[in-house]
Amino acid sequence: MNIKMIEFPKHIDKYGNLVPIEEKDTIPFKIKRVYYIYDVEQNVRRGFHSHIELEQVLICVSGSVKILVKTPYEEKNILLNNPQEGLYIGPMIWREMYEFSEDAVLLVLASEHYKVEDYIRDYDKYEKMAIDYLKEEK
Ligand code: T46
């Protein structure tokens, strides 16, 4: 599955911690957009879509959140609870975000500007497209 965890450097001193994210060293794409999700109630599940081309890195800068990443062939549930690491998600991966802690802030770095046409929100449609996409990738 085209996902991976990315570890960011952390600078710790007596004043606290600082995590720098440099596009050229750690992020495998040019960052065109940043957004963050917070104040999500614990029983809320978000996402339920794939992107056709968009690449993203998800960083839980406060609290915790679980991410389901899924293709027609495999699925993983990943706990994000460390502001020093990010989850890279490539194109054509179904995602759902759930179990946000009360203090969760999910920061997302994205490779493209917001484009509604890049979303696939119907799972059956996603499954068909992903099977073709993954066949071509081999
Ligand atoms: C993703 C996951 C991790 C904008 O106007 N601009 C934006 O850049 C974004 C991301 C969203 N919006 C609007 C569109 C909707 O009216 O914000 C509203 C909520 O977006 P959505 O329902 O798509 O949020 P999630 O949490 O389901 O998904 C978001 C991203 O959209 C998506 O790309 O991968 O976070």
Side-chain angles (χ1 to χ4, degrees), residues 6 33 41 48 72:
I6 299 175
R33 178 166 54 105
E41 282 182 20
F48 297 99

Side-chain angles (χ1 to χ4, degrees), residues 43-88:
N43 57 350
V44 167
R45 222 173 155 99
R46 306 178 61 114
F48 297 99
H49 62 260
S50 169
H51 284 283
I52 299 171
E53 291 183 345
L54 189 70
E55 297 172 85
Q56 300 195 107
V57 173
L58 279 57
I59 306 156
C60 192
V61 291
S62 166
S64 65
V65 60
K66 287 183 183 159
I67 315 289
L68 164 74
V69 278
K70 183 173 169 164
T71 69
Y73 307 110
E74 56 181 324
E75 69 176 62
K76 286 182 182 152
N77 288 278
I78 295 164
L79 172 69
L80 294 183
N81 62 357
N82 178 354
Q84 208 195 331
E85 63 183 25
L87 169 65
Y88 167 82

Side-chain angles (χ1 to χ4, degrees), residues 34-40 46 59 61 104-109:
V34 175
Y35 60 91
Y36 41 93
I37 300 170
Y38 63 101
D39 269 357
V40 180
R46 306 178 61 114
I59 306 156
V61 291
V105 180
L106 181 63
L107 176 75
V108 183
L109 313 176

